[in-house]
Amino acid sequence: MRRLNAIFAREGLSLSSHVRQLRLDAIASELRDLRFTRLCISEIAIKYGMENLQYFKTGFRRRFQCTPRDYRMRAN
């Protein structure tokens, strides 16, 4: 695990931030996908391990410059 952390550190990232970005990207993908319109945003977030919804919303807004709800509305 230390080796993996060292590899990410050379790129100026942390493993945990990379995983968080991957999760946010996956959530964003499902918010754009019409097959998932029946699921509420919190269900999608929890599915990807984002159990603290306030933390999720803050991270999502930081990454995509809008709320998850606005992101979904713009995409569909």
Side-chain angles (χ1 to χ4, degrees):
M1 188 66 127
R2 284 193 292 199
R3 176 145 168 68
L4 190 55
N5 282 324
I7 291 168
F8 277 92
R10 280 192 299 236
E11 299 296 321
L13 300 170
S14 71
L15 178 58
S16 63
S17 67
H18 181 68
V19 169
R20 188 171 33 258
Q21 298 306 316
L22 291 174
R23 287 178 176 172
L24 290 172
D25 289 345
I27 293 166
S29 176
E30 287 200 13
L31 292 176
R32 289 189 309 268
D33 193 326
L34 295 175
R35 294 175 296 172
F36 298 102
T37 55
R38 287 187 178 168
L39 292 177
C40 66
I41 293 168
S42 60
E43 287 176 304
I44 295 171
I46 290 169
K47 178 173 137 180
Y48 285 95
M50 298 289 198
E51 295 177 7
N52 181 329
L53 296 179
Q54 188 59 46
Y55 178 74
F56 157 67
K57 290 176 188 176
T58 301
F60 193 95
R61 184 182 294 233
R62 190 176 304 125
R63 176 123 171 99
F64 296 102
Q65 289 76 49
C66 65
T67 65
R69 183 174 182 259
D70 289 342
Y71 186 89
R72 178 180 249 180
M73 288 174 39
R74 290 178 194 163
N76 298 317

